[in-house]
Amino acid sequence: MQTRTDFATNAARRLRTVEHSLDSAIADSSLLLHDLTRHRAEAGFAVQAGHQAVLSIHAAQAALVEARTQLVAAHDRLYREAKAMRVPVTNVGPLEDKPDRPGVTQTRAAEAA
């Protein structure tokens, strides 16, 4: 049987994975836009070449940023609910700074894994 703390720990790990995945997708799409716009002329393509694709990638990136916004909000809601239900809450550690929150302790990333 899974305890409340086990459940919360599993949910927190999954949430962290999704947060990192979104950050990675945003970063990767930024690199893609960089490559398409920065190296286009070097490759001998006109500015019009691939412009519609650049617009589509930009729109996708905006959607990723909005998804990140919603995920940050969900993270905060889960934090508040966990605190209200007296579920122990910890930060991952020095690898991820978070705003100071009363009652949240810092742990080392290796200990949290």
Side-chain angles (χ1 to χ4, degrees):
M1 182 172 155
Q2 194 173 52
T3 68
R4 291 164 49 130
T5 301
D6 291 339
F7 172 81
T9 299
N10 290 335
R13 284 187 179 137
R14 184 73 67 196
L15 176 62
R16 184 172 182 258
T17 297
V18 175
E19 289 170 342
H20 286 248
S21 295
L22 270 176
D23 282 349
S24 181
I26 292 167
D28 287 344
S29 65
S30 294
L31 291 173
L32 176 59
L33 283 174
H34 171 270
D35 290 349
L36 290 174
T37 57
R38 183 65 141 175
H39 302 298
R40 170 202 52 77
E42 293 171 12
F45 290 106
V47 71
Q48 297 89 342
H51 184 69
Q52 292 304 312
V54 168
L55 288 173
S56 295
I57 294 164
H58 183 287
Q61 193 173 43
L64 289 169
V65 172
E66 176 56 26
R68 188 180 193 278
T69 299
Q70 294 302 320
L71 196 59
V72 168
H75 191 145
D76 189 56
R77 287 182 184 114
L78 288 169
Y79 164 78
R80 285 186 270 126
E81 288 182 28
K83 188 172 178 183
M85 291 185 275
R86 300 175 194 238
V87 174
V89 177
T90 61
N91 284 348
V92 172
L95 300 179
E96 288 191 353
D97 289 336
K98 292 188 180 185
D100 289 335
R101 294 176 175 163
V104 177
T105 60
Q106 291 286 334
T107 61
R108 300 191 62 63
E111 295 170 2

